[in-house]
Amino acid sequence: QIESTEGKGTRITLKLPLTLAIIDGLLVSIEQENFILPLSAVEECIELINSQVKIAHHRHVVHLRGEMVPYIRLRENLQIAGKTPDIEQIVVMNINGCRIGFVVDTVVGQHQTVIKSLGKIYKNAENISGATILGNGTVALILDVIKIAQNEETIEKLKLN
C-alpha cells in the first residue's frame, strides 16, 4: 500500500504472507528447466561422464572415494525429454543418513530461495514441494528430494521382486 499526504510524506506498507519461507538452495537445470535442491543436504557435486555409467543390482551407482553411491537421473524421474549431455553433474546429498546422488545437466550455483506454495490445483504434485521465481522472472520448482528417493527405492524394490 502507498499512502501519501501532501506536506507530511509518503508511507509504503509491504505485507508478506505468513506462509512465506526462505531456504538456501542449489539451483540446477535439466534442458531449459530450473530446479532447486535444498542446500542443507548437499555434500558435493561431481561430474558424470557417460563412459563412467555403471549399473549394479539394477541401480545406477558411482564409485566415490571407496564408496558406491546410488544415483537417480532426474531427467528420467521427472520425464524431461531431450538429449543427455556427454558430461552430466551428480549432486551428492545426505538424505536420512544415506548418500544418494541426483543427476542433472548443469549445476548453476547457490540460490537463496523464497518458497511459494503451488496452490490447491498442484497440491498433489509428486516430488515437488514448492516453487520460486528467479531474478530473470522464470519459475524454478523446488524438489522434494526425500520423496523422490523414497519413490525410487520403492520402484527398485518392485523391480527386484
Side-chain angles (χ1 to χ4, degrees):
Q1 292 179 331
I2 300 176
E3 297 175 22
S4 186
T5 307
E6 189 175 336
K8 289 191 173 185
T10 301
R11 180 192 326 206
I12 299 174
T13 306
L14 179 65
K15 295 181 182 179
L16 298 175
L18 293 175
T19 59
L20 201 61
I22 298 174
I23 64 164
D24 284 325
L26 184 65
L27 180 61
V28 299
S29 66
I30 303 169
E31 288 295 322
Q32 302 302 316
E33 303 296 326
N34 293 308
F35 301 96
I36 300 286
L37 302 174
L39 192 60
S40 61
V42 174
E43 289 187 353
E44 62 184 300
C45 299
I46 59 172
E47 287 185 346
L48 176 66
I49 301 169
N50 283 345
S51 62
Q52 295 175 325
V53 174
K54 296 178 185 165
I55 298 178
H57 302 290
H58 304 284
R59 297 184 109 171
H60 292 281
V61 293
V62 64
H63 190 262
L64 187 59
R65 288 184 289 288
E67 181 182 354
M68 298 303 279
V69 177
Y71 61 84
I72 297 170
R73 292 184 167 280
L74 287 178
R75 176 185 292 275
E76 294 170 7
N77 187 280
L78 300 172
Q79 300 175 357
I80 298 173
K83 185 181 181 302
T84 303
D86 292 334
I87 299 175
E88 297 172 285
Q89 304 295 314
I90 300 177
V91 179
V92 179
M93 303 182 80
N94 187 322
I95 299 175
N96 296 331
C98 297
R99 295 177 86 200
I100 188 165
F102 293 88
V103 178
V104 298
D105 290 357
T106 308
V107 174
V108 179
Q110 185 175 348
H111 188 271
Q112 195 162 38
T113 305
V114 178
I115 301 172
K116 186 70 180 143
S117 66
L118 294 173
K120 294 177 184 178
I121 295 173
Y122 297 102
K123 71 178 179 181
N124 293 326
E126 281 197 32
N127 304 333
I128 309 295
S129 60
T132 190
I133 299 174
L134 303 177
N136 64 4
T138 61
V139 174
L141 297 175
I142 302 166
L143 298 180
D144 185 342
V145 292
I146 294 173
K147 184 168 243 179
I148 291 171
Q150 288 171 340
N151 288 345
E152 192 75 18
E153 186 175 287
T154 301
I155 291 167
E156 293 302 324
K157 284 181 182 176
L158 291 174
K159 284 182 182 178
L160 292 174
N161 290 334

